[in-house]
Amino acid sequence: MTVTFETHQKKDRLRRRGGAVVDRFVWAHGDFNYGNSMSHVSRETVRWLSKIGAPVGAWSWDGPMEPSKDLPVALQEDLKKSAVVVMDRVKVPLAVWDMLKVEAPFIAAYYMCEGTRVKDGDLARLERYDAVFTPTQFCYRALIESGLKTPVFVWGHGFDHEVFPYVEPKPDRPFTFLWYGDENRRKGYDLFLKAFVELNLPNTRAWVRSPGSGFLSKLTGYYRSNKNIVFDTRVTPPEQLKEMMAEADVFVGPHRGEGFGLGGLEAMACGRPAIMTRWSGPLDYGGGDDMTYWVGTDGYEPAQFDVGVQAKPDYHKLLKQMASAALNAEEVRRRGILASRHVHSHWRWEQKVAEILPILRQLIPQCKL
């Protein structure tokens, strides 16, 4: 559920600047390459706002951006009439903030977290903005319960339906569990591999798709002798990811904490039901027990990067759900079709980016977006 403008109007917390006309949207980030999930979200937000006809541009504080067919670029002079949203999950240089404060009539933050609380330093920084946008109800609660007084609105991520359409599974191959994403213990790759080996189910394989560095690389050697585990570190264009999905049956994401969890959403879009922890970001899009194999929590532990706590997935339930999926391929296929229909109906990028415009029109008196 998106938090409404009226909810915050009653709190009288809107800090509007000056009466300047706002007629464009600018997304500010230091890096718009495909190196990490925050850069990916930044690119896709700008790209899809442009696709739906919104006057939008990408502005990088790390220097001039290369012109791009699919990514309109904003200049510093454009900031004077823009609603600027800053990707604030990365450190924003003080000089950039000082410049935006002078130039832009409206400045909002896009912020997410994986723990149940927000760091004091982050909280103080977020108080400087006119509004804060965050991708899930989990993040929204963390911000509010941490005491943030700036108006907060839920504005979710999406997926590219051209990159992640429904994909028919390839025939004549082992039943395949897929884990893919950034190499981060928070995403539960260690639990996935441990469970796969312990189950030792016939005619199954585990496919781990990752950059091939960091924490996970330390486990690669330990599991390398298991011929049913595939470590895939190829760098491929986004449009080839559907080929990966055709090789898989189920996405396994026993995460300890997710601000959103794009991997689960993208797999569901392709018709691959997800085995995920019933906790944090994926609750927003994961649907019911008829499409997602939910894994409960078995207590909590300190958050890995934020503050507060993250979940301990129920390992025995993970074993049970993986076994249930592998032993009933028809049920997996049925759930996958439901999951794909669900997310294609509600979570495409063009649908999600459109949600921001009516909020901005209400927040900014002279908004022409």
Side-chain angles (χ1 to χ4, degrees):
M1 179 183 69
T2 301
V3 182
T4 64
F5 167 74
E6 288 75 17
T7 302
H8 292 300
Q9 193 177 41
K10 293 176 183 177
K11 295 182 180 180
D12 195 27
R13 287 291 305 172
L14 296 180
R15 294 165 296 196
R16 301 169 176 175
R17 288 185 181 86
V21 173
V22 170
D23 62 8
R24 70 175 56 236
F25 184 108
V26 169
W27 186 279
H29 191 191
D31 178 12
F32 284 87
N33 294 316
Y34 282 105
N36 58 65
S37 58
M38 293 298 94
S39 297
H40 173 74
V41 167
S42 296
R43 287 186 64 91
E44 293 301 282
T45 299
V46 173
R47 190 165 74 90
W48 285 98
L49 277 167
S50 179
K51 276 178 171 282
I52 67 172
V56 62
W59 182 76
S60 170
W61 59 69
D62 280 347
M65 292 176 55
E66 293 282 336
S68 168
K69 290 182 180 179
D70 64 352
L71 199 68
V73 175
L75 303 176
Q76 185 169 330
E77 62 192 50
D78 296 328
L79 303 177
K80 295 180 183 296
K81 298 178 67 175
S82 298
V84 179
V85 175
V86 178
M87 174 56 83
D88 195 276
R89 186 58 171 165
V90 297
K91 186 175 182 180
V92 182
L94 182 60
V96 171
W97 170 256
D98 288 341
M99 184 275 295
L100 287 172
K101 187 169 57 175
V102 172
E103 298 282 348
F106 179 89
I107 314 171
Y110 198 93
Y111 182 87
M112 61 188 298
C113 55
E114 285 94 20
T116 54
R117 291 291 184 275
V118 178
K119 297 175 183 175
D120 290 343
D122 287 5
L123 199 64
R125 188 176 67 251
L126 293 172
E127 289 285 359
R128 304 180 304 181
Y129 290 94
D130 297 300
V132 174
F133 298 103
T134 196
T136 59
Q137 292 293 327
F138 173 81
C139 295
Y140 174 81
R141 286 192 297 272
L143 288 161
I144 296 301
E145 291 173 8
S146 296
L148 182 65
K149 296 181 176 58
T150 305
V152 185
F153 300 85
V154 175
W155 180 24
H157 301 333
F159 69 94
D160 186 336
H161 63 279
E162 296 174 349
V163 175
F164 298 100
Y166 178 83
V167 179
E168 287 289 337
K170 287 184 179 179
D172 304 323
R173 56 177 176 77
F175 185 94
T176 301
F177 297 101
L178 170 68
W179 181 96
Y180 87 105
D182 294 333
E183 295 184 11
N184 191 316
R185 178 182 174 275
R186 178 176 50 77
K187 293 181 176 289
Y189 60 79
D190 55 325
L191 298 175
F192 165 52
L193 289 170
K194 179 182 176 183
F196 178 78
V197 171
E198 182 172 338
L199 285 170
N200 194 28
L201 296 166
N203 198 33
T204 62
R205 66 177 171 176
W207 192 345
V208 179
R209 177 69 177 265
S210 68
S213 59
F215 295 107
L216 186 54
S217 63
K218 297 178 182 178
L219 290 181
T220 303
Y222 180 77
Y223 289 106
R224 183 66 71 185
S225 61
N226 191 320
K227 299 187 182 305
N228 296 319
I229 300 176
V230 178
F231 289 96
D232 183 352
T233 59
R234 292 173 297 164
V235 177
T236 58
E239 57 269 18
Q240 290 185 15
L241 289 174
K242 66 185 73 173
E243 298 175 13
M244 173 183 72
M245 294 297 182
E247 293 279 357
D249 294 281
V250 179
F251 170 83
V252 186
H255 60 272
R256 295 173 170 93
E258 287 278 23
F260 185 85
L262 278 169
L265 178 68
E266 292 164 351
M268 291 173 69
C270 292
R272 303 308 176 263
I275 301 174
M276 296 188 294
T277 312
R278 200 188 293 267
W279 169 259
S280 63
L283 288 172
D284 277 29
Y285 63 79
D289 293 339
D290 58 338
M291 63 184 75
T292 296
Y293 294 89
W294 289 111
V295 174
T297 58
D298 187 22
Y300 305 93
E301 63 185 31
Q304 185 174 345
F305 297 121
D306 294 286
V307 291
V309 299
Q310 60 189 23
K312 292 181 180 179
D314 184 337
Y315 178 70
H316 295 291
K317 183 66 172 180
L318 173 63
L319 288 169
K320 182 177 179 180
Q321 294 289 49
M322 288 177 65
S324 176
L327 297 173
N328 195 338
E330 285 303 313
E331 172 67 9
V332 166
R333 185 174 175 82
R334 186 190 69 80
R335 287 182 183 234
I337 292 171
L338 287 176
S340 182
R341 289 173 181 169
H342 166 66
V343 298
H344 277 273
S345 295
H346 303 289
W347 291 93
R348 292 186 179 193
W349 269 119
E350 69 267 34
Q351 297 164 315
K352 303 314 293 182
V353 297
E355 293 176 1
I356 190 62
L357 300 178
I359 297 175
L360 292 176
R361 292 181 190 124
Q362 295 179 80
L363 283 173
I364 306 169
Q366 299 296 319
C367 184
K368 304 300 180 184
L369 285 168

